[in-house]
Structure formats: C-alpha cells, structure tokens
Amino acid sequence: MEVFVEQGELMQQGADLPSNVECRRLCVDREQWLQTVQTLSSSAARLLSLWGADDRDRDGCFRIYAAWLLPASVLVLEHPIDDGGLGAATAPSYPGLARFFPSARRMQRALHDLLGVVAEEQERDERGWLRHGGWPDNLYPLRRDADGHQSYPVVSAAYPFVTVQGDGVHEIAVGPVHAGTIEPGHFRFSVVGEKMLRLEERLGYTHKGVARRFQELTQLEGHRLAARLSGDSAVAFSWAYCAALESVTTTPCPGRATLLRALALEHERMANHLGDIGAIGNDAGFAFGFTQFSRLKEDLLRANRSVFGARYLMDYVLPGGVAADLPQNAHSTLLNVYRDLEAGVLAMRAIYGEHAGLRDRLHETGRLGREIAEQMGALGLPARASGVACDLRADHPWAPYDKLLQKLSDKAPLWPITHPDGDVAARVQVRFDELLQCLELCRVLLEEISSPALSGPAQRSVQAALPAAAPYRLGMGLIEGWRGPVMVALETGTDGAIRRCHAHDSSWQNWPLLEYAILGNIVPDFPLINKSFNLSYSGQDG
Amino acid sequence: MIDVLTRMLRTGVLTEPGAGPEDSAPTAEILHNSLYGLLGRALSIRHVDAGSCNGCELEIAALHNPYYNLEGRGVHFVASPRHADLLLVTGPVSVNMEEALKRTYDAAPDPKLVIALGDCASCGGVFGQNYASRGAIANVIPVHLTIPGCPPDPVTILTGILKAVRTIRLTA
Ligand code: SF4
C-alpha cells in the first residue's frame, strides 16, 4: 500500500468510526502499521492512546489499537496479530511506537501487563507498570481465558530505579503513601544538596482492574464505572463513555441534555481549577489564597447540589442523556453564583499577580519548554501552559461546542487558552483565564437552555431511549476534561454486554513531562510543581 | 497587601455554627467539646488513599475550607501515621496498595481507630473484588466504622468522625 504517504490520503482510507468527533478507523497489517506510524510521526499527529484486545475467541487474533489526534480528526489504527496457535512459545508482538511517540512507552508496558502482548523496541523496558507483583506472572487479566476474579497473594519484587552516580548524589524515595490528602504514587528523586537531578515516577498503585470490571457490566451500567475512574473528572469520563455508546447505537442525545452535559462539564472544570489555584497558593506558603479559593469552590459545589442534585456529578450523565433537567429556579441561582465567582476570581487574579512572595515562588519554577512539550506529545492544560494550542473543544468540537464558539462574547477569549512560559505561574494563569472563559460559557449555555426553541414539551426531554447495540461494534467518545482529553473506546458484546472498554486519561501523556519540568529545581519546590500539573493517578492506573 | 487585607475583611468569618443545616450534624461546639473531653487534645487523623478514585479525597479536602474549618474544631490532619489517633481510609484496597496500607496501619500507635470512608471503602463499591482489588478496607485491616456515600459529603464525614470518637474510647 504506497498510499500511506500523505496524511490527507491516510484519512481517505479506512472507514468511519462511530464517535462524537470526526473519526476514522484503519485496519493494517504489520508493514502498514510501521509505515503509517512513521508517516504520522513526521506530521502534526499526536498520540492519543494505545490499547489492545483479546479476540482469539473470534478469529484467533490479538488486536492492538492506537489512536492519534490529527488536526481535524482522529485516526484509529487497528492491527490484528495472529497468536500463532495455542501454546505458542513466543509472546505475540507488534512494532513499538515509543521511538516515534515517546508517550507510548508506559502505555506499552501497561498493555503488556494486561494482555501479554510485547512491543518490539530496541531497548525494551521490561519492568511491569501496572503489575507490582499482585498477581502471577503468567496471568494476563485481559486475556479471555484468564481468571480475573481470583485474588492472589502479593509477591513483591524489586523494582530497579535508574540511579544517578556522582559526588554527593543521593536518593529520596517518596510514597506511595504521601504526606497530604492526595492519591498514592512513588517518586524517586536523585538529588545533590537540595537540587533535583532526576525524578523517576512509579505509578500504578491505584490499579483496580477497571478494564476487566467493565466486561462484567452491561452497556447501560458502564457509565457508572466510567464516572468513577477519576472522581474529579466524573462528567468527562461518563460523557465520553456515553458518547461512545450513543455513537455505536446511533442514538442522538436530546439537544437539551447535550447542553446540560456541557454545563456540568464546565462546572467540573471550574471546581477543579478553583481548587488547584488555591492549593498551589498554599504550597507556595500563601494560605490566604487557599482559604479564598476553597471557599469559592465550596460555593460552586453547593450550587451543584442545588441544581444538579449532587456536589460531585458521579451519576449525572447517563446513556441517552442526563439524570434530570435543571430545577425551576436554577437559572437565577446559577447566575448569582457566577456573578460572585467572577468577582472573586478577578479580585484574586489581581492579588496573585501582584503578591511579591507568590510571584517569587511561581515564576521560573518547574518550567516545561514548548519544544519538549511537543516532542513528548503533551496534551491538555499543561500543553497549553507551554504554548501548545490544543483543546478538543476548539480543535474537534462536538455538540454542543460546535455551535458555541461563535456565541462567546468578546469578553471571553476564544479557545484554546495558552501561555508561552511553561512555568508554574503559566499553569496558574491558564487556569485563571479558563475560569473566566468557563463562566462566560456557562452563561451562554444557560441562555441556550432557556431559549424558546427548547421550551416545547418535546424539547424538554433530557433522555433518549437506547436501542440494543449490535454486537462487536466499536465506538469512541472523546471529551476535553479539565486536565485534557479523556477518551473511551467501547466495543459491544452480545446481549447488551461490554466486550471491551478502554478508558484513557491525558495524564498518561503528561506524567512524564513532570520529570522534565522539575529538572534543576529544588526539592522543596516539588510539591508546588506537582500541584501545578495536578495529574491523575486513578484515572491513569485504571 | 492592602488588597489582601480588604478581601479578608470583606470575606469575614464563614465558619458555620453547625457543620451543616441538618439537625443531626454536630455543632462546632459539640465536636470541639467531645474531642476535648475524650482526648484532652486535638484529634490527629492520617488519611490513607488505598486505591480510591480521588472523589472521596476531594470531600476530605473540603473539610479544610472555611465553612467547615476542621482544624479550628480540634481535628488535625497529620503527615505521618505515627502521629495519628485515627486512620481515615478511602477506596477499595487495590492489590498494589495492600502492603502500604498494612504498613501504615502497623505504624499508627495503639489504640488506633480506623474509619473506612466512602462506598468503596465500606463494601468495595463499583469496583468490587478481582485480581487487582481486595474490595472493602475491612478485608485488609480492622475497621471500626464505615461512612457510606460516593463520595460522602463533608457534613457526613464530620458526623462520622465524631461518632467514631464518641463510641470508641481512644484513651485506655
Ligand atoms: S466511594 Fe465513590 S468517590 Fe469514593 S473512592 Fe469510591 S467511587 Fe470514588
């Protein structure tokens, strides 16, 4: 196939993949996989996710999938690997991506842990990523003949970290239980004095076997698990899941419900940004910032409870729509909340900008240059704060964002919001700007929700019934959560079952960036830098 | 600086007299007095995430906001289990966190209280048990009290903490 030259031509190939965004699926053999990956690496494509499935029960193959974000669409490559017959001596393998897309490295390790399929790399990292000795070496939980239900005793094995040698170099090991109220993970620092020479992350501690768990749920239950992959991104993940299922069943979500989902998603973004800016202030010794922002966040959560019925929207987005419409007085309640939030955020932005002590701590700290961000395939907020303009709401707008862009007034900057500096201050600034943009957007959404066009009895519906999905269909949901893109690839099984569901958080791409951002900084600044990224553990560990 | 001071004055004191509007919610005074009566000092809590989705953590963090003002009520979150009276544990126990959870439990001085916070911690929640998840906290370490909810809101957490301290005497 010599056609694999131009990206435009690439997109001519293959078939449409049901999704809430423009998406194509291309089935390739080994040669084509190699060629295509190479072509993609010399284009503007960014790796979105890598996953696999055991289809030996159907056609004797394992399948490897990889998804890329292209400028105007998403491309999913599908590569079947014949397992060489039962009991084959060598593990099935595929050409690795890490040479071209460094962010694939950990995904490949995780894929091996779960499915036992090896990525061919010149220097393959053979250490387990999700596998920490909690189940037998020969058990690959996503293989259909594996017993994923059993409990096994933990057999801890050594995990050799890369060591740095030199005069006065020593290591600091932190975690998995951290000193604050945060998720577990392990950080190994190599330091000289207080200067950090190297950081190596070891994650996977919160791996709960969700991919396997999905397969025990029905399609109409999966959104509940999706919402709980990362509690701070419940709306993003449950929406991505529902978008995938609705695409597969070609069920359009009612217009009103689509707007309500966007409203909930923007509330989620605001709540997290408010919390983060306060917590970053706190880590920089500015407790006043924490007090103010944690108050603003609480105000928003209370508003959530009064209009959405819960502070955290774990069960708001459902297949076919949302759990409930807004109550009667929601509009005025929300407009008041937005007004107060805006006043608070503007006042605090001025204070954060002028406070000498804070500026001293935030500027030039934890810098991630644009070049590295691009090379490493950064996504979402950290990418934007390093000057990389990427935001699915602008680049791959899905309903209702496709219509909203032009409705935003001049007051709110258009997506995506970027900052050239790449330091902690830039990540704070992007959050401030996004908050103000969110507020504007929420007002527009409220206006749309109450427009006469949506007030007829037929338009008031917030939930559509889903027809039964045909088996063995793949669908894709892609949502810009507050951290960055959140993806769910869902394959239907027979009788409403989930055959395979892969969820991906952009933290996969962004955790390795933290290892760069800390270089040359001092140990006491690590919490601050880490907080400014605020990446997900649970969302990544799965 | 003027801006900061002005904003402080304008914001005023937000801490609510009760932890929330519900009758059953402990008032600041009751919580404070109960703790003081029982312990004669502040209650030290060590939070342990044993594999949660981070939702429960967000509500624990909310306890520090000025409305609930937990620290002002004689409850103190500490960085080491060795300083803790109570372990507040979230999540289903992931297999990868099992050993760390057990070690944290062992490191806390006796007598120690353990609260399993959230549906997952109480019963395994939506994740249940499998090759990677041990389910409820009680499957791994002894638990004195469970606080259900997904995630439980700050008032529920506060009420639960008080209940645990009241019903189980920490002082020998
Ligand atoms: S109870 Fe709910 S919020 Fe808490 S860890 Fe479990 S899923 Fe997350």
Side-chain angles (χ1 to χ4, degrees):
Chain A
M1 251 207 248
E2 331 82 58
V3 237
F4 289 121
V5 182
E6 290 291 321
Q7 220 182 87
E9 285 178 50
L10 253 179
M11 292 310 290
Q12 307 295 311
Q13 308 284 319
D16 275 335
L17 180 67
S19 171
N20 61 321
V21 298
E22 171 80 27
C23 189
R24 307 279 289 174
R25 171 187 187 174
L26 199 57
C27 186
V28 293
D29 63 21
R30 192 188 159 83
E31 259 326 290
Q32 295 161 340
W33 167 276
L34 269 168
Q35 276 183 29
T36 318
V37 170
Q38 212 161 354
T39 310
L40 286 166
S41 72
S42 55
S43 75
R46 264 165 310 152
L47 181 66
L48 182 58
S49 185
L50 173 74
W51 70 103
D54 177 3
D55 288 334
R56 287 172 304 162
D57 55 335
R58 294 194 62 214
D59 58 8
C61 288
F62 288 103
R63 268 190 179 69
I64 305 298
Y65 296 92
W68 281 269
L69 284 169
L70 307 187
S73 59
V74 174
L75 175 70
V76 175
L77 279 195
E78 169 189 341
H79 172 42
I81 317 168
D82 198 320
D83 85 327
L86 268 184
T90 49
S93 68
Y94 62 99
L97 305 176
R99 189 154 49 106
F100 304 105
F101 298 94
S103 62
R105 212 162 273 141
R106 290 175 182 175
M107 297 183 225
Q108 289 177 174
R109 288 166 67 187
L111 178 52
H112 176 257
D113 290 342
L114 297 178
L115 200 62
V117 178
V118 176
E120 298 152 25
E121 291 287 348
Q122 249 169 10
E123 283 175 42
R124 190 166 79 85
D125 190 338
E126 295 193 2
R127 296 172 300 172
W129 181 251
L130 301 177
R131 183 190 285 276
H132 293 195
W135 57 94
D137 281 350
N138 58 0
L139 180 92
Y140 296 103
L142 283 186
R143 290 195 175 184
R144 297 201 187 270
D145 47 8
D147 184 358
H149 267 301
Q150 279 244 51
S151 281
Y152 304 91
V154 178
V155 184
S156 13
Y159 186 88
F161 286 91
V162 176
T163 50
V164 177
Q165 308 210 316
D167 220 16
V169 179
H170 64 282
E171 285 190 353
I172 306 177
V174 179
V177 179
H178 292 152
T181 305
I182 53 167
E183 298 181 81
H186 184 94
F187 300 120
R188 187 65 60 101
F189 302 97
S190 299
V191 301
V192 159
E194 57 177 7
K195 194 169 161 187
M196 293 185 274
L197 299 179
R198 187 172 198 281
L199 160 65
E200 186 174 348
E201 300 154 355
R202 185 188 188 196
L203 305 176
Y205 288 92
T206 68
H207 176 66
K208 298 177 276 287
V210 297
R212 181 77 200 202
R213 179 75 182 126
F214 267 119
Q215 291 168 200
E216 294 159 5
L217 302 176
T218 67
Q219 291 158 17
L220 296 180
E221 292 169 336
H223 63 284
R224 296 196 57 241
L225 180 57
R228 288 161 177 82
L229 295 175
S230 178
D232 50 44
S233 304
V235 176
F237 270 112
S238 52
W239 191 353
Y241 175 89
C242 293
L245 183 58
E246 288 154 11
S247 309
V248 164
T249 53
T250 48
T251 318
C253 175
R256 192 176 189 79
T258 310
L259 292 165
L260 288 168
R261 284 177 175 183
L263 192 66
L265 184 71
E266 297 307 325
H267 273 218
E268 186 167 272
R269 194 182 316 279
M270 288 196 289
N272 282 294
H273 284 4
L274 289 168
D276 282 353
I277 301 176
I280 292 169
N282 207 34
D283 280 343
F286 193 50
F288 168 75
F290 174 76
T291 310
Q292 291 288 332
F293 277 103
S294 62
R295 177 261 173 115
L296 294 174
K297 179 173 177 180
E298 178 73 17
D299 290 341
L300 181 63
L301 294 178
R302 291 181 178 194
N304 273 359
R305 170 173 284 174
S306 81
V307 303
F308 294 118
R311 291 160 60 89
Y312 286 98
L313 306 181
M314 302 303 222
D315 298 300
Y316 187 66
V317 181
L318 314 171
V322 294
D325 200 351
L326 295 178
Q328 282 239 307
N329 53 359
H331 283 68
S332 55
T333 309
L334 286 178
L335 288 177
N336 287 337
V337 171
Y338 297 160
R339 190 199 53 220
D340 294 348
L341 273 181
E342 186 160 44
V345 169
L346 285 171
M348 290 305 293
R349 183 165 73 163
I351 290 174
Y352 267 55
E354 282 163 15
H355 193 278
L358 205 51
R359 288 180 61 95
D360 196 38
R361 291 291 305 277
L362 306 188
H363 284 270
E364 304 282 329
T365 305
R367 168 165 264 156
L368 175 74
R370 180 186 173 140
E371 212 168 290
I372 296 257
E374 275 182 341
Q375 272 171 21
M376 297 291 292
L379 291 175
L381 191 144
R384 294 197 287 276
S386 290
V388 183
C390 58
D391 186 327
L392 294 176
R393 295 175 298 167
D395 308 338
H396 304 267
W398 69 99
Y401 293 94
D402 48 356
K403 301 264 160 33
L404 289 176
L405 205 52
Q406 66 265 38
K407 290 204 172 121
L408 279 181
S409 71
D410 305 336
K411 261 204 288 172
L414 291 177
W415 295 302
I417 292 171
T418 59
H419 197 290
D421 287 357
D423 53 8
V424 174
R427 290 185 282 278
V428 169
Q429 198 55 48
V430 167
R431 284 180 170 95
F432 267 119
D433 292 345
E434 289 192 359
L435 269 172
L436 295 170
Q437 184 190 49
C438 279
L439 285 165
E440 196 62 21
L441 181 54
C442 286
R443 290 195 190 101
V444 174
L445 283 165
L446 272 187
E447 226 169 82
E448 293 286 302
I449 291 168
S450 52
S451 79
L454 281 181
S455 57
Q459 286 78 32
R460 295 209 71 89
S461 147
V462 292
Q463 232 196 310
L466 258 75
Y472 313 123
R473 301 273 320 273
L474 187 68
M476 158 89 90
L478 196 54
I479 302 292
E480 182 81 19
W482 67 271
R483 282 195 180 92
V486 152
M487 187 205 91
V488 170
L490 174 71
E491 192 192 352
T492 57
T494 48
D495 299 325
I498 296 173
R499 181 170 163 83
R500 176 82 176 89
C501 183
H502 175 73
H504 179 95
D505 187 88
S506 55
S507 299
W508 277 107
Q509 273 82 359
N510 293 343
W511 270 114
L513 304 176
L514 183 63
E515 296 180 342
Y516 284 88
I518 58 101
L519 291 178
N521 284 258
I522 55 174
V523 178
D525 272 339
F526 177 74
L528 180 65
I529 302 169
N530 189 23
K531 193 78 219 171
S532 75
F533 279 86
N534 196 7
L535 303 170
S536 177
Y537 299 72
S538 180
Q540 147 151 355
D541 295 344
Chain B
M1 200 57 207
I2 287 290
D3 291 346
V4 173
L5 291 174
T6 321
R7 198 159 167 81
M8 277 183 186
L9 281 176
R10 284 225 185 102
T11 311
V13 175
L14 296 173
T15 308
E16 292 164 340
E22 292 89 321
D23 289 343
S24 61
T27 66
E29 232 178 271
I30 294 181
L31 183 64
H32 189 90
N33 291 343
S34 308
L35 290 176
Y36 193 75
L38 284 165
L39 304 172
R41 57 177 168 80
L43 173 75
S44 298
I45 299 184
R46 172 68 244 212
H47 155 255
V48 186
D49 177 339
S52 112
C53 81
N54 198 32
C56 285
E57 278 57 38
L58 297 174
E59 289 296 41
I60 296 175
L63 290 171
H64 296 290
N65 78 39
Y67 290 104
Y68 305 108
N69 188 21
L70 197 64
E71 296 260 339
R73 289 176 164 162
V75 180
H76 185 51
F77 275 74
V78 293
S80 166
R82 297 186 200 285
H83 302 152
D85 304 308
L86 187 156
L87 297 180
L88 188 60
V89 192
T90 61
V93 184
S94 69
V95 166
N96 292 351
M97 276 303 287
E98 186 179 12
E99 198 181 320
L101 175 62
K102 284 183 179 159
R103 282 205 211 169
T104 308
Y105 177 80
D106 290 341
D110 285 320
K112 48 196 160 199
L113 280 180
V114 177
I115 294 182
L117 182 79
D119 285 350
C120 295
S122 307
C123 69
V126 66
F127 302 101
Q129 275 184 51
N130 61 25
Y131 74 95
S133 164
R134 300 274 191 251
I137 306 296
N139 294 342
V140 177
I141 57 171
V143 167
H144 296 99
L145 183 97
T146 56
I147 303 178
C150 182
D153 64 24
V155 175
T156 312
I157 302 178
L158 222 46
T159 314
I161 293 174
L162 183 60
K163 194 169 156 202
V165 175
R166 266 198 187 148
T167 48
I168 303 129
R169 301 235 148 213
L170 274 176
T171 40

